């Protein structure tokens, strides 16, 4: 084959390869082109083959040098050192997670309403009617919560059997508990979304009932400072897990033009991203709960940290990754 015919046949592939190299060498563009980049290894093998052919057929030195540069660039990207887990997590939380959540904002707001509105309503109702708390919790559970937030307790929020536990031990306990709640809320979506809906409602009602009951008992001075610090991250993450579960239910109930299996696969990809981001928020909430919430800081400072937390969560979810929303 003459060189001109060789170049004409391979030129479109070389053009695609150059575009992928440019995307890989630019972190912002790389995130925007992730689906297309899955074909990069195949194109790299094709470029290596074309480079070897050009050399064996003794094509012009300029063409051989151009292909060699492309192959070297591709080799560096294909075998480059992978990002450290912490860097990958930060990149994920800075861009992919908040952008995915904004794409499904309507589902998130439905999940948030199912969670927060019953919570607020039940809290107000129990504060007005003390007996109403027993419609959700039995007497033993109510007594346990009263004991947890009794003002005489040295470390509120920790049961008697955990008063001597270190903050690190409590961190592990909170991580397992929080992530467990989040995962169950998400997995419930496989039951046509009904599982996630019920879990959001029940958790919202239960949290509201506890908050209203403890406030009525004048335990609010212990309860509210304790939950204010980690609440913004933990409660938001539970709502996000609920939204991920509702996405699964949506695919099963309203697959649109796709089969249910195809719709479930498509929605599951975004749902897993949402759960991954929520898991990071839950771990962060566990850090605050273990090392700050039960600490000796003044209540006013804890309230201030809580308010700041809600502001940070709102700003983060609205603005993080905006630069990539319109990326080509």
């Amino acid at each position: 084959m003459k060189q001109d015919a060789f170049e004409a046949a391979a030129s479109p592939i070389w053009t695609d390869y150059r575009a992928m190299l440019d995307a890989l060498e630019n972190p912002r563009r790389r995130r925007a082109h992730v689906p297309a980049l899955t074909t990069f290894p195949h194109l790299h093998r094709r470029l290596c083959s074309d480079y070897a052919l050009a050399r064996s057929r003794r094509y012009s030195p300029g063409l051989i040098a151009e292909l060699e540069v492309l192959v070297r660039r591709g080799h560096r990207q294909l075998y480059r050192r992978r990002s450290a887990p912490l860097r990958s997590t930060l990149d994920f939380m800075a861009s992919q997670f908040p952008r995915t959540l904004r794409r499904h904002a309507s589902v998130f707001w439905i999940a948030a309403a199912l969670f927060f509105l019953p919570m607020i309503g039940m809290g107000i109702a129990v504060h007005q009617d003390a007996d109403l708390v027993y419609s959700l919790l039995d007497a033993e559970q109510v007594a346990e919560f009263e004991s947890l937030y009794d003002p005489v307790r040295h470390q509120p929020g920790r049961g008697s059997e955990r008063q001597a536990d270190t903050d690190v031990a409590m961190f592990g306990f909170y991580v397992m508990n929080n992530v467990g709640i989040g995962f169950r809320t998400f997995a419930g979506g496989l039951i046509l979304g009904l599982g996630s809906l019920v879990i959001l409602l029940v958790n919202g009602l239960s949290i509201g009932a506890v908050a209203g009951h403890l406030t009525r008992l004048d335990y609010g001075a212990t309860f509210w400072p304790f939950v204010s610090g980690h609440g913004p991250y933990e409660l938001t993450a539970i709502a996000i897990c609920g939204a991920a579960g509702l996405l699964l239910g949506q695919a099963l109930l309203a697959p649109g033009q796709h089969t249910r299996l195809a719709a479930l696969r498509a929605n599951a990809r975004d749902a897993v991203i949402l759960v991954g981001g929520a898991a990071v928020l839950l771990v962060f909430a566990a850090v605050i709960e273990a090392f700050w919430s039960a600490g000796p800081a003044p209540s006013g400072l804890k309230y201030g940290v809580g308010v700041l937390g809600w502001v940070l969560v709102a700003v983060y979810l609205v603005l993080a990754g905006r630069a990539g929303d319109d990326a080509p």
Side-chain angles (χ1 to χ4, degrees), residues 87-127:
R87 175 62 183 273
S88 298
T89 301
L90 292 176
D91 287 345
F92 169 77
M93 294 300 292
S95 179
Q96 190 177 14
F97 167 61
R99 285 166 52 195
T100 302
L101 182 62
R102 287 195 295 271
R103 281 203 307 273
H104 300 287
S106 59
V107 178
F108 168 71
W109 285 116
I110 291 172
L114 290 170
F115 184 52
F116 287 105
L117 292 182
M119 184 190 304
I120 295 170
M122 180 57 75
I124 295 172
V126 170
H127 190 266

Side-chain angles (χ1 to χ4, degrees), residues 70-89:
L70 288 175
V71 169
R72 286 181 180 275
R73 288 174 64 193
H75 184 84
R76 284 196 298 270
Q77 292 301 320
L78 196 60
Y79 298 102
R80 66 187 175 88
R81 184 177 179 181
R82 300 303 176 191
S83 299
L86 178 59
R87 175 62 183 273
S88 298
T89 301

